[in-house]
Amino acid sequence: MTTTPAAWAVADPYATALRAGRGPLFLRRADGWLLPLDVERWCAHADPVDLDVLDRCEGAVLDVGCGPGRLVAELAARGRTALGIDVSETAVHHAVRLGGQALRRSVFDSLPGEGRWGTVLLMDGNVGIGGDPRALLDRVARLLSPGGLLIAETAPVDIDERVEVQVVDVTHGCGSDGAFPWARLGTPALLRHARRAGWRAVGQWTAGGRCFAALRSRSASSSAEAPKSTAVISSQRARKPSGDSPVPSR
């Protein structure tokens, strides 16, 4: 799959918000509807809901759309092999400063350790990357090891929506120069797409008003166990940095 630069990766409002550690920041549809982005939570340390997700991770962890890096920093502090990828240079720099390992890449770029990651995370609405859930699920399946685990954070409503959006700061009246494709999926919609793509649902839960689903890739063995259960912004091709990057060990 080839990808083109999406406006939000270089959008001043996004980079400015990450540097400040606060919003307000929104995704805006063409009809003017606004989806708030939780910049303050993304820029803080991993909270109890995040920590529960990280407890469920298996093996080496790839955090797709890692943002400013709270999850990869926490995994690094635990001594876990983890890598974050994000198309925002500002986000990647923030993640590295926190102590995590991160690269400026799209999930659709060539990545280290392809086919060998134990867990892929799609947190904070990143299940919407690229606006094509099936394409994203197929790509994640190629990144995971056989029987690998995907943990995705879904919308807290039953929705299955593909839209064009912009990143906007309504307070200062500024936004990205162009729109990019995005998707919003509730858990039922994600599970429908996943079944059609050959994934197996192994858990779903809610915590702190947030919703999650855990899926096994299509090559999972029949003996694979589900993680413990209670009751993962965009798909453009980014500049590849030089230098070595972490690769999961086998």
Side-chain angles (χ1 to χ4, degrees), residues 145-231:
S145 61
L149 182 67
L150 166 63
I151 300 179
E153 183 171 354
T154 57
V157 292
D158 187 2
I159 191 171
D160 189 353
E161 177 183 68
R162 250 91 44 217
V163 291
E164 296 280 321
V165 296
Q166 290 178 286
V167 174
V168 296
D169 176 348
V170 295
T171 301
H172 297 96
C174 56
S176 56
D177 292 333
F180 58 90
W182 196 253
R184 292 181 66 218
L185 299 178
T187 297
L190 175 61
L191 296 183
R192 285 194 300 270
H193 288 290
R195 282 194 297 269
R196 293 168 189 157
W199 293 78
R200 180 168 61 91
V202 293
Q204 53 184 295
W205 66 98
T206 61
R210 297 162 63 189
C211 300
F212 302 90
L215 306 167
R216 291 278 181 199
S217 62
R218 63 178 64 91
S219 54
S221 69
S222 59
S223 61
E225 294 183 0
K228 69 174 185 176
S229 141
T230 50

Side-chain angles (χ1 to χ4, degrees), residues 24-39:
L25 205 64
F26 300 85
L27 291 183
R28 182 174 63 194
R29 290 190 315 216
D31 63 4
W33 181 87
L34 296 172
L35 175 69
L37 301 178
D38 200 350
V39 177

Side-chain angles (χ1 to χ4, degrees), residues 2 47 52 67 75-76 86 88 103 117 174 191 197 203 205 212 217 228 236:
T2 59
D47 65 20
D52 177 67
L75 287 165
D86 203 285
S88 165
L103 297 176
W117 294 97
C174 56
L191 296 183
W205 66 98
F212 302 90
S217 62
K228 69 174 185 176
Q236 81 272 26

